[in-house]
Every structure is written in C-alpha cells, then in structure tokens.
Amino acid sequence: MDQNILFSTIHSVLTKKGIKGKAHQAFIDGLIGSGNLLHYLYSGLYSKTDDHEKDFIEILEIIIDSYLERSPSLKKRDKAKENKDLWFLSNELAGMSLYVDRFAGNINGLSKRIDYLQDLGVNLLHLMPLFESPQEASDGGYAVSNYRVIDKRFGNIKDLKKLQQLLLEKDMYLMIDIVLNHTSDQHEWAQKAKQGDPYYQGFYYLYEDRSIPDMMESHLPEVFPESSPGSFVYNKDMDKWVMSVFHNYQWDLKFKNPEVLKAMLRTIFFYANLGVDVLRIDAPAFIWKQMGTSCQNLPEAHMILQLIKAALQIATPGMAILGEAIVAPREIMAYFGNGYMQNKECDLAYNASQMALQWDALATTDTRNMLCNQDIILQKPLGASWINYSRCHDDIGLTFEDSCIEQVGYTPHLHREFLKNYLSGRIDSSPSCGELFAVNPKTNDARISGSLASLCGLEKALQKQDKNAMQTSIDKILLIQANSILLGGIPMLFYGDEVGYTNDYSYLNDPKKSYDNRWMHRPLIDWKKNAKAKKNGTIENKVFTGIQKILNIRKAHYLFSDYNNVEWLDSHNRSVVGFNRNLKGKQMFCLFNYSPVPQGLTYYVFSSVREQSNKLYDLYSEKYINIGADYEHLLFEPYQFYVLSNY
C-alpha cells in the first residue's frame, strides 16, 4: 500500500470511529507513527490472501475499538508505567505463579490470601489458566474451550475484576495466560468445524487423508511422546485428520488464516482491558506451521508476535508480553526481536536455560557449564527482561548448549543421561526425588518432573527423619532461589515452594491427571502447613523467612533492577559461581557454592573494590567480611551463598 494511501486509510478509519481532538492526540500519533510497521508486518504474513487490504483495515478497527474501550483508570495506569521507564525492569517486582483452585479454592479465596503473599514479598501474581476448559481433558487449563468465560471452578469475570481492583489498590500486578497455538476440541470454533461449517474449518489444519500429515510428521518432534504420540488426530465427525501437536484434544489454530489472527487479537485486547499487566503467551514457538520444517521458531511466528506487540503498544501500552518459548539459549534471543525489530516483540521471556543450569550445577557440583552458557544469555537486549525461576508448573528441560557441555569436558548425551538419572533419584547416592517426564522411546530424550523441595532432597530427608539432611535440603532451596532472585530479571516463585512442599502423589488416583506426572509438583495447599511459616524452627519457617529475606534484599537495592548490569565472575573454583551487580558506582557480589563440602574463593575476585574499602557487608548473614590478600580465601560452608555490598 502506498504511504499516502496508508495514511489516508488510517485517517478515514479514525474519522469513522469518531477519534479526533487533543484528548486522543497521543493515540492518533501512535497509530499513525506505527502505521507503516503494522502494514509491513500484516502484509508480510497475508499479502497473498484475498481481501488482505480490507482485513488490514479491520485490524486497525480492532486497535481503535480496544483503545476506546479502555477505562480511564487503566489509561492512567498506562501513563504511570510509562513514567517508570520500562516498569517491568524494576528491582521491586517479585512474582508467584499459582493455580487458583489449588492455592486458594477460587478467585475470592485468593483475594483473602493477598496479605500472605505481600508478607512474603510477592507483588506480581501469575494466575495459571482461568478460562473454561473441559475438566476431563484440560492440560491444566491449557486446552481452552472459551477464551472469555472464567471456569466456574474459579468464579466468574466479576470476581476477576474485583481481584484486579484489589491488586491495584495494593500496588500489585496481574499476569494471566493466553493460549495462541491451539484450542480445546470442545471450543465453539472446533464444534462448528465438526458440524461442517467451512468458515470455522478454516481455523484449523484439516486433511482428508494421512499423506500431508505423514510428510509433516517426518520433521516434527513429539511434544508428549508417551501420552500423545504423533502430531495429528483423526476426527470421525469430519472424517478428517486434525493437527494436534500437543495433546490429541488440543487442535492447532491455523494462523495462516487472517480470521484467526483477528479473533485472537480481539481476545488479547479483551484481557488487556480487564487490567492485565503481563500477558503470558503460551507456546509461541509453535504458532506458524510450514511443510518441511519442525514448525517451531519460524520467522512468521515472530512476525505475529511483533504485530501483536505493535498493536498493544498503540492501544494498551501498559500490558507487557511474556513469550513462553522454552527453547535453546541461542533461539530464545529472537523472541526479543532482531535487528530493527529488537525490543519490538516480547518484553519478557523465561530464562529456562539458567533454571536448568542451576540443576546441572547442583547435580554435578560443577558450575562451569552455567558460566559457559552466560555468553549467550547475556546477549539479551537492554530494555527486555527475563523471568527467572527455579521451578514452575512445567517440567525441567535440559535446554543448554551442547558446545558448552563439551567445552567443560563432558559428552552431551551422557551428561544429560546422568542429570536425568540424578534428578529422578535413579542414582543411589542422589537425594533427589523426581520422575522422568515425556520419555521418547525413539530417542530416549526425557524431561524431569518434581517439586523444588523434593529435587533438593527434602522428601528423602523427611522419610529418613534425618535432621542434617533436612537442613542441607533447605540450604539448597535457598541457594537456588537466591540465584534466581538476585540475577537480572523478574523472580517468579512457584506456589508451595515458599514453604517447602514435597511431591504430591495423589494425582495417580485421578484418571484425569494420572497420565501426567507434572501434577506431582502442583500441590493442593494445606493452609495449616503454610501457617507453620510463622512458627520458628519449622522447615516451613526456615524456607519462608529465607526467601522473604532475599526478596527484601532485592527490593531494597536499585542495582538489582535489570539494566543488563550483570557481570559473571571467574572464580577459579568449579563449585563456586558468582556475578557482580553494578550500577552508578555501586557493586554487589552474589556468590554461590553448589558443593556439599566447604569451599574457598580467592579474594582476588574483589580486586575491583579493594581500593575503595577493605571490607564488604553480607546482606544475608548481616556480617562484615574483611578482604584479604589475593592468595587468601573467602570460605564457604556447603551450599552457602553471599550477597556482598561495597556500600
């Protein structure tokens, strides 16, 4: 479209919608200023479709309608966030991810637990999928049957709005999920497709026979090879094969059809205007399919995310995007945008490699693999940020670079085999109690399930009533959490981990869950247990107060904001790793011992601050340490960490 025609089109749509005058000038300027980008992205995806210019005008109308529907209070909050200069980089943010029903019964019950979360130091709530999904085939809520209706188990949309208002009053933030890649096979669109409606059949990948599915599957990795092998399912109602990359009941949406994009964009804006602060886009790597590829991380998937981001930035700029792309470190960087599109795609991404590298270090007592991978992880652009975490609702995938494993002297497949056996407790000396998940019988690949506490040895320690082992497991929990909390990015705790919940095996008695061992680390909260967080000397108290203290340290020091101000240190001790957080002349040394035995680190690591002071203050133990000569050593107890300040 010619630029003059483009601007004329935008003005025409604005006039049609009654948008004019000073009150809307910032929005008008934003829409016109981003017009070329929007059209470039849309045309790159859909220029070969019929009526693509008409469809583009409809995209403009969706953006304008969403702006008009945004409440004055949310527009005011947008402005406040803008004044904070990328609010999601702040050291004051700390999150928790939780299942509403398993944490508090329902949304109203969650409202009554806000004080508990604030006491811990959490001010960003990630509510796992809330919208309708069939209980018998929900994938934990990620098989959505209605994007606009809250599942009755949790409450209703009014309850969510009340919760959002409460969070606003308490200066807290809300994050929810949207599943772009697929719907439940019981979604209205899928039901109409089954009934033969050609419009909705166009929303999915449907094939008359196995010829194309067979060709595609020759390039597609299996996501759930045990419970849902293959990537297509036969539907007898249509007598067609349906693409279902995840579970058989999750039908992949066909984003090659612009009607799908428009429908999902309306849903995204619906969430934005509910007051959502962070939208977690589930499985964005899969949203574009192309014959002859793995159908992951394709350029068109990035263009869709960039178009969504551009649209949000115009109409609802206060909502940030988190891309849940659990891919190798080199591939994750693309989700922040490359080249001109840098910082024009996802604002946030999961630091999944760092999470896995912590478990690698804990299992091997060797931090060199963690250190090697930082060359890639540190390429994150300034202005974007990580979600740092130790555990989540999902499994642990060993997504780090083979080249780094080789560089530190290990064989990649043997190293991963060791990690799987260690974390699943198959090695006699391992204290971990995990389980292998999604074992692929063809490749022997697998991921790991298990709660933070059980993987750190607490479950076995409790079984043996070994008090020393219990304390060791607590030390491991706090070590791992400290690394996640103090590194650049938003720390995201997983509910139950703050008081040391071990694996819950009751899922085995539920046929709706028994096929998926990830439910072992998705606990049903017993508030009598959580109340022990207030009782001195209990395991719950030690874990809760330890995490609480680390979060308070983070929030008290601006240099823990994410301004790419992380410098990893060369410790010359393979069991000890650390990084320097520095900003405006102030420095913080965060040091971690991943060994079960005492270790030492030469004071040479502090050479950059020795001229300013001969001592540092450990914010965690609240003690000073004197900086010795370069050949002398700072001593670490097993699994000890330091947070050393030079100011």
Side-chain angles (χ1 to χ4, degrees), residues 86-94 489-490 554 560-563:
L86 297 177
W87 61 276
F88 49 82
L89 304 182
S90 172
N91 61 298
E92 296 177 2
L93 287 174
I490 301 174
R554 170 187 162 86
F560 286 116
S561 299
D562 187 11
Y563 292 104

Side-chain angles (χ1 to χ4, degrees), residues 65-103:
D65 288 343
S66 301
Y67 164 75
L68 291 172
E69 291 164 4
R70 195 156 181 80
S71 69
S73 63
L74 289 178
K75 289 178 179 176
K76 182 179 179 181
R77 189 166 170 85
D78 290 341
K79 190 65 177 177
K81 288 177 180 175
E82 183 183 346
N83 292 337
K84 287 185 178 181
D85 185 26
L86 297 177
W87 61 276
F88 49 82
L89 304 182
S90 172
N91 61 298
E92 296 177 2
L93 287 174
M96 178 179 282
S97 180
L98 57 88
Y99 286 98
V100 170
D101 56 336
R102 300 182 75 79
F103 184 78

Side-chain angles (χ1 to χ4, degrees), residues 230-293:
S231 298
F232 293 85
V233 62
Y234 176 72
N235 180 261
K236 63 181 181 180
D237 294 325
M238 298 182 292
D239 189 25
K240 296 179 189 295
W241 289 89
V242 186
M243 194 169 200
S244 54
V245 168
F246 286 77
H247 289 290
N248 292 337
Y249 51 79
Q250 292 167 305
W251 288 9
D252 287 53
L253 286 166
K254 190 175 184 178
F255 274 90
K256 289 184 176 182
N257 178 354
E259 294 300 313
V260 172
L261 175 67
K262 288 186 285 185
M264 296 310 292
L265 192 58
R266 290 187 185 97
T267 302
I268 288 168
F269 276 122
F270 172 73
Y271 294 162
N273 284 332
L274 285 175
V276 172
D277 298 289
V278 181
L279 185 66
R280 178 188 181 274
I281 298 180
D282 186 66
F286 295 83
I287 59 178
W288 193 271
K289 312 298 194 291
Q290 189 67 47
M291 178 76 76
T293 74

Side-chain angles (χ1 to χ4, degrees), residues 569-573 576 589 591 599-611 613-617 623-636 640 642 644:
L569 305 170
D570 190 351
S571 73
H572 303 289
N573 181 332
V576 177
F589 294 88
L591 306 169
Q599 297 291 329
L601 182 65
T602 62
Y603 286 109
Y604 176 77
V605 76
F606 305 120
S607 58
S608 63
V609 296
R610 183 182 274 118
E611 292 184 4
S613 175
N614 61 359
K615 62 182 179 180
L616 297 169
Y617 184 65
K623 296 178 181 178
Y624 282 97
I625 67 158
N626 293 315
I627 301 176
D630 286 352
Y631 58 84
E632 295 179 316
H633 290 79
L634 172 66
L635 300 180
F636 291 75
Q640 184 181 1
Y642 289 98
L644 300 172

Side-chain angles (χ1 to χ4, degrees), residues 46 138 167 174 191 198 224 326 354 360 386 444 477 505 526 602 612 616 633:
Y46 301 114
S138 74
L167 296 179
L174 175 64
Q191 293 296 320
F224 298 124
I326 310 301
Q354 178 63 17
D360 177 284
W386 295 115
N444 203 34
I477 290 169
Y505 299 100
D526 174 3
T602 62
Q612 302 168 23
L616 297 169
H633 290 79

